[in-house]
Amino acid sequence: MKKSLILFDIDGTLLQSDINQIPVSTIEAIQKLKEAGHELAVATGRALFLVDECIRNLPFSTFVTANGQHITHHGEVVYENAIPTEVVENLIQEANKLDMVIGLLSATRSTVTGMNDDVIESFKRVSMPLPEIIENIHQEDAILQAWYFSDDFKHLPETFKNDLRFVPWLSFGADIVPLNGSKAEGIKQLINHLSEKPEQIIAFGDGHNDIEMLQLADIGVAMGNASDEVKAHADFVTKRIDENGIYYACETLGLF
């Protein structure tokens, strides 16, 4: 059996967001993978402080967070890729002109520039608390990514095409990351840091922000609840999260 680096998205992959729980079979699979000697990592759009305690309590040694912009390995920060402050400032100004709300995420806190029904619904869907409105957070913290809470991006992607990427969510809205930012790029940085390189990379995901990660992996696994677009980039499509999808894939692929 090859010793692998196995990465898991959170929302819709590890965590069933509608009930905010990890399936029992997933917990069992994670424990078996660890016992088999694999290196286990989380790869999520969330910042580390937004990762649920139930996930932190599992045997993950590495957290690739903020869509690859911040990486901790055995508790040590080994990589950070922030959006330049002036770009964040310009993004806020342009969104304000359009009367649009954006969110900002650093390694330790988050904020939104306003509040509306789309913002409330976005956080509700992933069972995350609404952040406070913090003025000028980008002047104090390194901003790892921004959030956009509408499916109408206006001219923003074109305006910021040299600085930012808009990665759509499954429903509406998008993560906004540095132009060179993605989970895949974060994983490359992680591998550069590891003293012992994995024999293969396996990645599990269900969202648009997982596509590059699935493409990078030697085996990209899409959850059964993923969209057809995401599934098209996977090497293996497993069952849904609520149908023991992770355990089924690990067993089928001979990972334990």
Side-chain angles (χ1 to χ4, degrees):
M1 180 190 300
K2 292 182 179 180
K3 299 304 180 187
S4 305
L5 170 62
I6 308 179
L7 304 109
F8 298 88
D9 171 53
I10 291 182
D11 298 292
T13 300
L14 285 176
L15 190 70
Q16 191 173 336
S17 300
D18 57 342
I19 58 174
N20 200 36
Q21 290 183 3
I22 305 174
V24 173
S25 65
T26 296
I27 296 172
E28 184 179 352
I30 297 298
Q31 292 169 339
K32 284 189 172 185
L33 291 172
K34 186 66 176 179
E35 291 167 1
H38 300 296
E39 181 84 16
L40 305 181
V42 167
T44 178
R46 301 185 182 209
L48 187 57
F49 77 95
L50 291 172
V51 175
D52 297 67
E53 187 175 355
C54 61
I55 293 172
R56 289 170 179 260
N57 289 338
L58 293 174
F60 291 111
S61 57
T62 304
F63 290 86
V64 179
T65 57
N67 282 313
Q69 313 322 306
H70 193 269
I71 301 173
T72 58
H73 181 61
H74 292 292
E76 176 191 359
V77 177
V78 298
Y79 178 71
E80 183 174 273
N81 181 36
I83 302 173
T85 301
E86 63 272 19
V87 175
V88 178
E89 179 67 38
N90 291 338
L91 177 63
I92 293 171
Q93 291 178 1
E94 289 298 317
N96 285 341
K97 291 177 186 176
L98 297 170
D99 197 27
M100 303 301 292
V101 175
I102 62 168
L104 301 173
L105 181 70
S106 77
T108 58
R109 56 183 180 164
S110 62
T111 189
V112 288
T113 58
M115 197 65 65
N116 59 31
D117 290 343
D118 288 341
V119 174
I120 294 169
E121 177 64 20
S122 296
F123 282 91
K124 181 180 178 181
R125 288 188 182 198
V126 290
S127 301
M128 283 167 48
L130 284 169
E132 301 177 37
I133 295 177
I134 306 172
E135 298 289 341
N136 299 318
I137 187 175
H138 59 294
Q139 301 292 346
E140 302 172 8
D141 295 7
I143 300 303
L144 304 173
Q145 74 174 13
W147 296 309
Y148 192 74
F149 303 100
S150 170
D151 56 6
D152 184 358
F153 299 152
K154 309 289 187 182
H155 60 77
L156 294 179
E158 177 64 23
T159 299
F160 292 95
K161 65 181 180 181
N162 294 322
D163 299 296
L164 300 171
R165 294 176 59 231
F166 285 67
V167 185
W169 298 337
L170 286 177
S171 50
F172 60 90
D175 292 325
I176 305 173
V177 298
L179 192 62
N180 65 339
S182 69
K183 289 185 182 182
E185 181 59 33
I187 293 166
K188 292 177 186 176
Q189 296 293 333
L190 169 63
I191 292 170
N192 288 339
H193 173 79
L194 295 176
S195 56
E196 185 176 346
K197 308 304 182 188
E199 294 180 70
Q200 67 178 355
I201 301 170
I202 301 172
F204 288 75
D206 72 300
H208 286 89
N209 62 338
D210 297 317
I211 288 176
E212 291 100 338
M213 176 173 75
L214 296 179
Q215 292 173 321
L216 174 70
D218 296 296
I219 303 176
V221 181
M223 302 300 291
N225 44 278
S227 68
D228 290 341
E229 180 181 357
V230 174
K231 291 175 181 177
H233 294 280
D235 301 295
F236 182 84
V237 177
T238 189
K239 297 179 180 179
R240 295 175 54 84
I241 183 174
D242 55 357
E243 296 174 344
N244 306 319
I246 286 180
Y247 193 99
Y248 173 78
C250 292
E251 188 174 49
T252 303
L253 295 170
L255 301 179
F256 48 63

